[in-house]
Amino acid sequence: MSLTLISICSVLVLATALFFWFRGKTIDYVNKANDSVLLNTETVFAKYMDSVQNYTLAFYRHPNINSVMQSGDSSWSDQLFSALSQIKGTLTVNPYLENAYIMGANGPVMMFENNPLSKASKQELYERIRNGLIKDSPFLWTATLNNGDKETVMMTYYNDKVYANSEYTGAIAISTNLNKLQGNIFSDVADSDTRYAVLSPEGAVLMQSGPPGDGYDDALLRRIVGGRSASGTMVWKPDRGPKQLITYRMAANQGLWYLSETSYRNSIRDISNALVLLIALCVVLAAAAAGVAAFVSHRMYKPIGALFGNIRSLSGERLAFAGAGGFEEANRELERIAGRFGELKRENEDSALLSWLTTPYRSGEAVPSALPLLKGGDPGSAAFCVAVLRLDERIGEAEAMTDAERMARLRDLPQAVEALFEGACACRGFFPHPGTAVLIVSEAREGSFGDQGIARERWEELEQLVRAWPGTQGALGVSRLSADPSRLKALYEEARDCLQYMKFQYRTPIVYAEDAAQLSDAPMPDQTLEAVLQVVREQKHELIPRAVERVLAEAGGYRAEQATIALSRIASDLSAIADTGAAGGMPRHADFLELYQRIWSFAGYEELRAWLEQLSFRAYEKLKERNAVQTRDVAGEAIAHIRRHFADPMLSLNALADKLAISPPYLSRLITESTGSSFPDFVNLVRLEHARSLLVDELELDIRTVAERSGYGSSTYFTTLFKKRYGMTPTKWRLNHIVQHSE
C-alpha cells in the first residue's frame, strides 16, 4: 500500500508540473486563435458598414431622389417610383437593413420603415444628421419605436457636409438592425465552444454569437471598457460558473470593442503529445509499484486467504481453493454461498407450499391440509378452485403497512372469503411471505357454488377489500373449478400463471384461468410489433407512449409466453438502435433470453410500459443524435466545398451530391436549412461577394476577368446578377468606391 501511494504521489507531482508548463503554451495558442477571429470579425463588420455607406452614397447621388431631397416634393412620377423601388429592394435583399429615410432641408421627406420609429425619434434623427458631418457616420443611436420600446441601432448617413461650416442640403439615412446583422457576422462560429461579442464604447453588448439571452458578466464588461489597454487577455472567474479565458481588442476607427470568451477548462485541455507520453511513463511506473505492493500483500495475507479457502468445504465440493487462497476468490465464494442460501430459502418456501397442497386432510394436526372435509360428505365430490393473491404497493402513496401488519391481514383472508361467499364455501390459506397468499376455496356442500357469475362478483369484492388496505393494491389469479384433489397443485400453478397476464392488461386486477385459456396461442404478427419501431425510426417523439400502449393492448390478446416473446423482440431491436444508432437491418441481440426473463419478471402493467417507453426514448435520442451529426457534417462539407470551388463554372448540385454520395434533393434541403438560401442562390451569393472584393481590391481587372474569376462564363449574365443584388452595375460599384475614397 505504501509503495502504491508513493508512486501515485510521484505521478501527481510530475503531472502537475507538466500541466502548468504546457498550460501557458496552450493558453497563448488559444489567445492567438481568438485574436485572429476578433480581427476577422472587425474586418467583416467594417465591410458591412462600408456596404451600407455605399448604399447611402448611391441613393444620395440619384438625381430623382436628390430632387425630392432638395425640393421636398414627393409627388408620384415614373422616375421617382423607379428610384424609390431601388431603396425598397435594398431593404428587402439585405434583411439586416431596417429603415431608410430621405431627409430634406426642413425634416424627413420620405421614409421606408420595417420597424417604425416614434415621431420624436424621427425628429431627433433629423436634427442629429443635419448637424453631423460625413466623418461621424456611422454612429450608434438608441431610438424609441412606435410601441415605446428602446432599441440600439447603427445609423449610416450621407449629407455632403465635410466641414462644420458646410451647407446642409439634405441627407440619406439607413438604420442597421444589429440583432439581425449578428447572424451574418457570427455565422461561421455558431457551433463553436467559444462565444464572441461586439460591445459599444460604454460596454453594452451590441451583437453576440449564440442565444441572445446568454449574457455576459457586467463586472467583466466594465473592466474591459474601463481599462487602459486597447487589447489583451485575462482569466475571469464570475461569481457563479466556471473560469473563462477572455480575449479582447478595440477597433480604434470604429470605437467598438470585440470580445471572445472561451471555457478555461477547454482552453488547457489540448496539451501536447510529449505530456501524454511522460504521464504514460509515470502511469507505467505506478502500475509496476502497485504490482510489487500487491505481491507483498498477497504473501503477507496468504494465511488469511487459506483460512477463507476452507469456506469451500461448506458446499462439500473441495476443501480449499485451486489458487491456494486469496481475497478475491474468497469473496466470490461468499457471494456464491449467499446466492445459494437465497435459493434454499425460496426452495424451502416452495417445498412448504407443495407439502401443504399435497397433504391429505387429517383432523387435529397443527398444519391442516388445503382441502377441508365436505360437510356431510366425501371431500372427493366437492368442487374447488385456487386463488393466488399478490400484494403490491400503490405508486405515489406514502402510507404503507409493515410486513407484520400485512401478514396479520392476510391471515384473516380465509374468514373474509367465507363471509363474502355467504357460507357457500370453505376457505383455507397459506402465506409463504407477507406479499403473497394462496387461497383454496371449496364448496361447503355439493353444488353450493352455483352460478359462476356470482362467484366472480365475490372475487371482485375481495379485490376491493384488499385495495382498501393502506397503500396496497392486489393482483388476483383464479383457477378453474375441479373436483379432483390430485389436481390441486396443477390448479395452483394455473392461478399463479394468471398473474403473468397482469402486465399486459391495463388496470385489470383479476385474471381468471377460464378467460386466459381463450387467448391466442399463435405468435404475434410482425406488423403489430412494427408500430413502436416505426415511430422511433420516423422520429415522432410525441407518438411513442401511444404506440407502446397499442402494442401492449395487442399483447393482451395472446398467451403470456407468446406476448413475452414478441415484446422481447421489440426490446431487442430498440436496444440495438440505442447502442449502435442503426435504424434497421441488424440481427437480433444475443441478450434476447435476458430480455425475455426481464419482461417475465415484471409484475404490473405500469412497470412494463415505463420500461418499454424508456427503451424507445433511448433509441429515439440515439437516432436523433446520429441524424444531427450526419446532417451537420454533410451540410458543413457541402458549404465548405462551395466556398473553395465557387470559381468552377462546372459547379452544380448534381455533381456535388454525387461527390457526397447523397441525393440532390436531400443535399438541397440541407443547404437551405443551413444557409437560408437555395443552392443556386448560395453559390451566386459567394461568387458575387468575391466579385465585389475583386472590383475594389484589383482595379486593373476588367469586368470580363472579374466575372471569369468569380465563376461566370458570361460577363453579361454576371452584370445582370450583380445589379439585381446590389442595385447597380459592377462598373458603377467600382466608380462609387473610387469616388468615395478619393474624397
Side-chain angles (χ1 to χ4, degrees), residues 533 537 568-578 582 586-588 619:
L533 299 175
R537 294 189 189 110
S568 300
R569 291 163 56 193
I570 296 177
S572 178
D573 288 344
L574 292 174
S575 298
I577 295 174
M586 58 279 189
R588 301 289 181 192

Side-chain angles (χ1 to χ4, degrees), residues 514-662:
E514 294 176 350
D515 299 338
Q518 306 300 321
L519 298 176
S520 174
D521 197 27
M524 288 183 63
D526 289 339
Q527 58 267 29
T528 302
L529 309 178
E530 191 67 20
V532 175
L533 299 175
Q534 184 175 356
V535 297
V536 170
R537 294 189 189 110
E538 295 177 357
Q539 295 286 278
K540 297 180 179 179
H541 177 277
E542 69 283 355
L543 298 182
I544 289 178
R546 181 59 179 164
V548 171
E549 291 178 0
R550 286 200 301 267
V551 169
L552 289 179
E554 290 289 339
Y558 291 83
R559 300 294 295 271
E561 295 82 1
Q562 295 296 339
T564 305
I565 291 173
L567 296 182
S568 300
R569 291 163 56 193
I570 296 177
S572 178
D573 288 344
L574 292 174
S575 298
I577 295 174
D579 293 340
T580 65
M586 58 279 189
R588 301 289 181 192
H589 263 204
D591 58 356
F592 178 84
L593 180 59
E594 178 182 347
L595 294 171
Y596 181 93
Q597 293 172 344
R598 177 97 181 255
I599 295 174
W600 192 262
S601 66
F602 284 133
Y605 176 88
E606 297 296 338
E607 186 180 7
L608 176 58
R609 185 185 66 177
W611 181 70
L612 287 175
E613 287 184 2
Q614 181 183 14
L615 284 179
S616 301
F617 285 125
R618 279 182 53 211
Y620 162 82
E621 293 295 338
K622 187 67 176 182
L623 284 179
K624 180 181 178 182
E625 177 184 349
R626 187 201 64 174
N627 292 339
V629 171
Q630 289 181 347
T631 298
R632 185 168 59 250
D633 290 346
V634 172
E637 187 176 349
I639 293 172
H641 181 86
I642 293 172
R643 292 191 180 277
R644 288 194 303 268
H645 302 281
F646 66 89
D648 183 3
M650 303 306 294
L651 179 64
S652 66
L653 179 64
N654 291 335
L656 183 53
D658 291 340
K659 179 179 178 61
L660 298 176
I662 60 176

Side-chain angles (χ1 to χ4, degrees), residues 65 68-69 84 87 100-104 107-112 171-172:
I65 297 177
V68 173
M69 192 187 312
L84 298 182
I87 299 180
Y101 301 90
I102 300 176
M103 300 292 186
V109 178
M110 298 188 71
M111 61 197 71
F112 302 83
I172 297 293

